[in-house]
Amino acid sequence: MTDTSKPHGFIELSIDLAPEQIEPCIGLLSSEGIEYFQEEENRLLCYLPGDQWSEAKEQAVLMLLEKAFGKAQLLSARHIADRNWNAEWEANLQPVEISDRIVIVQKNKNFERKPGQIVIEINPKMSFGTGYHATTRLMLRQMEEMDLADATILDIGTGTGVLAIAARKLGNRHTILAVDNNDWAAENARENITENHTDNIRVEMLDAEDDLAEILDQQYDLILANINRNVIDRILPAIKNRTPTSRILISGIMIYDESWLKKLIKTLGYTSTRTIYEDEWLSTLVEPIS
Ligand SMILES: C[S@@+](CC[C@H](N)C(=O)[O-])C[C@H]1O[C@@H](n2cnc3c(N)ncnc32)[C@H](O)[C@@H]1O
């Protein structure tokens, strides 16, 4: 069923699902580190870099599907060349109005800016962070309500760099550190940062779990973390330990995991000060209890 002969490009997983199972399945697979999804009527297409696919990963995905939905419904896993994937993805992108104030536009697409609108130009290539996913929109809507001007900011899992770019365009005045554990995401973030003329954003290819000591070599006022439940679960205790006064803006969590998240936040001595929702996703701003 799986062609494992080519290590590069992307793997496309095709999963047969009832419509109501699609969002829960995205949540499950996000926890496995799969970041790209295309929803169809009775099918979910998922994409992950070829070098991250293995027999073990296939077994893990099958087990998750079986546990959640009763039986394995992974129809196929096939390789896709990078170039085809990019072209298809980019051709379909349209401007995304995040709010009255913020819009994400793909580079070189015709777009008429409204007065006062903050326009973020993104050329996503293979990275996450186009505004097409609720988790990104939730982060941006939260950020819009915050006073970011004087905050020192760390963006963990930067993807296209969209949140770091937005922070700068929303008036942040400090150097921002943006990290991602995928080299193509880091490269893409740098390109988007240049295209948006947003200075002083340092992008590093670092892993939030393995390199946390290096990433947190200074205190941050605000940590942006749109990742997934598993990574949040593993890094939040270390963040509290190393940079106890930071506020953390979290996304990438499904509403089904809200009680788990609340418990984790409480255990670590944080409190949620603003939680917002879209579809089956949530974003929450957590602050240390003083
Ligand atoms: C959901 S995307 C978010 C992208 C962008 N920040 C946004 O809000 O749209 C998560 C990003 O985190 C990265 N990522 C996942 N696990 C990571 C880890 N352990 N360390 C660093 N980055 C990670 C992925 O490569 C991906 O680019």
Side-chain angles (χ1 to χ4, degrees), residues 22-41:
I22 285 183
E23 283 289 338
C25 188
I26 291 176
L28 273 178
L29 297 182
S30 305
S31 309
E32 272 300 300
I34 297 173
E35 309 277 357
Y36 314 94
F37 300 94
Q38 189 179 322
E39 299 178 34
E40 297 190 345
E41 206 174 322

Side-chain angles (χ1 to χ4, degrees), residues 33 35-36 127-131 133 135-137 139 155-163 179-182 184-185 206-210 215 226-228 231 235 252:
E35 309 277 357
Y36 314 94
S127 303
F128 189 111
T130 55
H133 201 272
T135 60
T136 310
R137 294 194 291 271
M139 290 293 279
D155 177 15
I156 300 182
T158 195
T160 56
V162 60
L163 303 180
V179 300
D180 203 290
N181 64 350
N182 278 306
W184 36 266
L206 291 169
D207 189 280
E209 296 180 56
D210 301 343
I215 295 171
N226 176 13
I227 310 191
N228 62 56
V231 177
I235 65 173

Side-chain angles (χ1 to χ4, degrees), residues 97-199:
E97 298 224 356
I98 303 296
S99 64
D100 288 346
R101 198 166 157 217
I102 302 177
V103 63
I104 301 181
V105 183
Q106 200 209 344
K107 197 173 159 250
N108 301 329
K109 283 264 163 82
N110 284 336
F111 175 76
E112 208 167 309
R113 176 196 295 251
K114 294 181 196 151
Q117 208 167 30
I118 293 177
V119 179
I120 302 172
E121 273 196 19
I122 293 293
N123 191 16
K125 301 211 167 153
M126 295 175 283
S127 303
F128 189 111
T130 55
Y132 264 68
H133 201 272
T135 60
T136 310
R137 294 194 291 271
L138 288 168
M139 290 293 279
L140 291 167
R141 287 179 195 137
Q142 292 267 39
M143 290 167 66
E144 208 185 338
E145 297 300 317
M146 299 165 71
D147 181 1
L148 300 176
D150 292 316
T152 49
I153 297 180
L154 165 66
D155 177 15
I156 300 182
T158 195
T160 56
V162 60
L163 303 180
I165 294 168
R168 179 66 75 244
K169 293 199 174 199
L170 284 165
N172 181 260
R173 292 192 283 246
H174 287 279
T175 299
I176 297 171
L177 174 62
V179 300
D180 203 290
N181 64 350
N182 278 306
D183 55 355
W184 36 266
E187 193 186 318
N188 179 242
R190 287 188 194 105
E191 287 167 6
N192 288 320
I193 287 162
T194 305
E195 289 296 337
N196 282 275
H197 310 289
T198 39
D199 296 337

